[in-house]
Amino acid sequence: GLGVLLVGAPASIALNAATRALQEDENATLAYAFPSTPKGFTKSRVEINRPLLLDLRYLAQHMDKVLLFSHLEQPIRDVRKVLTSKEVSEPLHRIDPAAYDGLITPWMNRAARQTVETKVPGDNNLMRFFAKARSRAGMAAMFANVANTAQQITGLSIAAVKVRPALLLDATVQWVKAPRQIARAVAEASPYMASRMDNEVAAMNDAIEQILLNPSVYEKAQAWTAQHAYFMQSAVDNVVGPIVWTGAYNQALEAGHSELDAQRLADSAVRQTQGSTLPEDVSRIETGNAFVRMFTQFAGYFNMQANLLGTEFSNIMHEQGLRRGMGRGLYVFTFGFYVPAMVSELIVQAFRGGPDDEDKDGSTLDDWLQAVLLTGPLRAGVAMVPI
């Protein structure tokens, strides 16, 4: 039985586990060259007569690898076949020779491995320190941050770049009348929105740890804080997200798309206008090792906004030209940048008690106008610089 198997074996088990971990880290560094899901568990081990690693803390990690392999390995292979075919590879190479190495392969790896942080083999847990520092800095800044939560209403203005305002207004009215029904309908129609509104994976991992590891009170407090640090932001996103999704879905149906395509377009509208932290959604600038990622803290939302505006302006220039597209360009600039920047600054200044009377003239009206109309948009523009 297990007792006989494990006698005199703990050192051997630890050594083998450490060796395997080092090999996996080394293999992960080759990820940009070979997009694939982790599949070491699929290798036959019938000829290996060594003690098994029975550390239950690795159960969630193993489940993650099995699920990734089951659901993503074949799609990743299919995409690789398409991208390496002559019909795709040659035209793409003519348009952008660096697209494969700089964009597509890293994106495929993030999707396959569901990770945005690159491991550094032999770092002696130094990267773990930086990762924890980044995570806790984010929690400290965002926990019960009422001003930041209020700023999320500007997501509706940014969504107007992709969805007609009339449809957003209609979706808002529907949500006000029946918020639970709308949220339930969106979650049932879209697996993406269901996971966005309710993180089932985190709940599963928490349940496994509760059952198997019996965490201490301090560890439970840590886990609770990590899970609920962004509770206010999540609450608002669970309102804005379904509204944007419903408006985009109705717009796609009006345009003659099938129901499945309408769901996909609605998912895309939410990702492109409200942001996402999923590995397949983030830009490459937000990835890297833990030390590098410390310098892109909170950059994701503004990077999403910059990409959205850049794409829209590029489409306008290619499809309509400068003169004919000027009206659309002004619309995108106003609703995609200027209005969100002004409203965000207005909220910040309101929570601060208003701007200081810097010129000491006894009136702060000019300071309010300067902050909202000039300083706020300037700050928002600078925030779109990646670092």
Side-chain angles (χ1 to χ4, degrees):
L2 293 178
V4 176
L5 179 64
L6 295 176
V7 170
S12 174
I13 294 174
L15 178 61
N16 291 334
T19 303
R20 284 196 299 271
L22 184 60
Q23 289 173 341
E24 289 182 0
D25 287 350
E26 290 287 358
N27 290 336
T29 61
L30 300 175
Y32 286 130
F34 306 104
S36 178
T37 60
K39 49 181 176 287
F41 64 91
T42 64
K43 307 296 183 184
S44 175
R45 290 179 171 82
V46 293
E47 297 179 359
I48 299 179
N49 299 311
R50 295 177 182 172
L52 300 175
L53 178 63
L54 299 180
D55 190 337
L56 294 177
R57 290 174 296 181
Y58 286 89
L59 180 59
Q61 184 182 103
H62 175 69
M63 291 172 62
D64 182 58
K65 291 180 180 179
V66 172
L67 290 171
L68 288 176
F69 180 81
S70 301
H71 292 280
L72 289 175
E73 180 62 22
Q74 191 58 49
I76 290 295
R77 290 183 181 182
D78 292 341
V79 172
R80 276 207 311 252
K81 290 179 182 178
V82 172
L83 291 175
T84 54
S85 65
K86 282 188 175 182
E87 294 82 356
V88 175
S89 61
E90 292 181 359
L92 181 59
H93 186 76
R94 286 197 300 268
I95 296 172
D96 187 355
Y100 275 102
D101 293 336
L103 176 66
I104 294 175
T105 304
W107 168 74
M108 289 178 63
N109 263 286
R110 292 197 301 273
R113 298 171 181 269
Q114 288 296 292
T115 180
V116 297
E117 197 165 282
T118 306
K119 291 186 177 181
V120 178
D123 66 337
N124 199 26
N125 282 331
L126 181 61
M127 293 299 111
R128 178 177 171 82
F129 168 79
F130 292 129
K132 286 289 185 181
R134 184 183 192 275
S135 174
R136 293 180 181 181
M139 289 190 290
M142 293 300 169
F143 184 78
N145 190 327
V146 182
N148 178 262
T149 302
Q151 286 178 311
Q152 288 192 261
I153 64 172
T154 60
L156 290 173
S157 176
I158 299 176
V161 174
K162 287 288 186 180
V163 185
R164 294 200 308 273
L167 291 174
L168 287 175
L169 180 60
D170 182 61
T172 303
V173 172
Q174 292 181 43
W175 186 90
V176 171
K177 290 181 178 179
R180 292 185 179 179
Q181 289 85 339
I182 292 295
R184 188 182 305 113
V186 170
E188 290 175 353
S190 168
Y192 168 75
M193 290 299 294
S195 63
R196 184 184 177 100
M197 293 187 284
D198 183 16
N199 193 339
E200 296 178 4
V201 176
M204 180 186 69
N205 287 336
D206 184 58
I208 291 173
E209 290 196 0
Q210 290 285 343
I211 295 170
L212 299 179
L213 304 182
N214 191 25
S216 65
V217 175
Y218 173 69
E219 290 170 334
K220 289 180 180 178
Q222 278 188 315
W224 185 92
T225 304
Q227 190 173 354
H228 297 88
Y230 295 82
F231 74 98
M232 296 181 72
Q233 290 84 353
S234 296
V236 175
D237 185 69
N238 286 352
V239 174
V240 176
I243 289 174
V244 174
W245 193 95
T246 303
Y249 176 77
N250 292 334
Q251 178 173 275
L253 289 179
E254 288 184 6
H257 293 282
S258 67
E259 186 172 342
L260 181 58
D261 284 342
Q263 293 169 1
R264 292 167 174 168
L265 289 168
D267 290 346
S268 177
V270 173
R271 282 196 301 268
Q272 293 182 66
T273 63
Q274 308 306 306
S276 173
T277 58
L278 294 179
E280 62 269 25
D281 295 336
V282 301
S283 297
R284 190 179 181 184
I285 188 67
E286 299 173 61
T287 66
N289 63 55
F291 177 76
V292 171
R293 294 188 72 232
M294 286 182 28
F295 296 93
T296 57
Q297 180 81 301
F298 305 128
Y301 180 84
F302 297 101
N303 186 58
M304 172 276 298
Q305 190 179 10
N307 281 330
L308 174 67
L309 295 174
T311 300
E312 289 297 319
F313 287 134
S314 177
N315 290 341
I316 291 170
M317 290 296 296
H318 283 92
E319 296 173 5
Q320 301 181 31
L322 180 60
R323 180 174 297 179
R324 291 180 55 208
M326 192 170 296
R328 172 65 181 172
L330 180 60
Y331 174 88
V332 170
F333 174 79
T334 301
F335 286 95
F337 175 75
Y338 201 66
V339 169
M342 286 195 304
V343 174
S344 294
E345 185 66 20
L346 185 64
I347 292 171
V348 168
Q349 293 297 341
F351 276 92
R352 288 177 178 171
D356 296 329
D357 185 11
E358 295 184 1
D359 50 10
K360 309 300 180 184
D361 62 351
S363 173
T364 58
L365 178 60
D366 55 334
D367 300 291
W368 272 100
L369 293 174
Q370 178 182 335
V372 174
L373 300 179
L374 182 62
T375 307
L378 181 62
R379 185 182 291 114
V382 173
M384 292 183 188
V385 179
I387 301 298

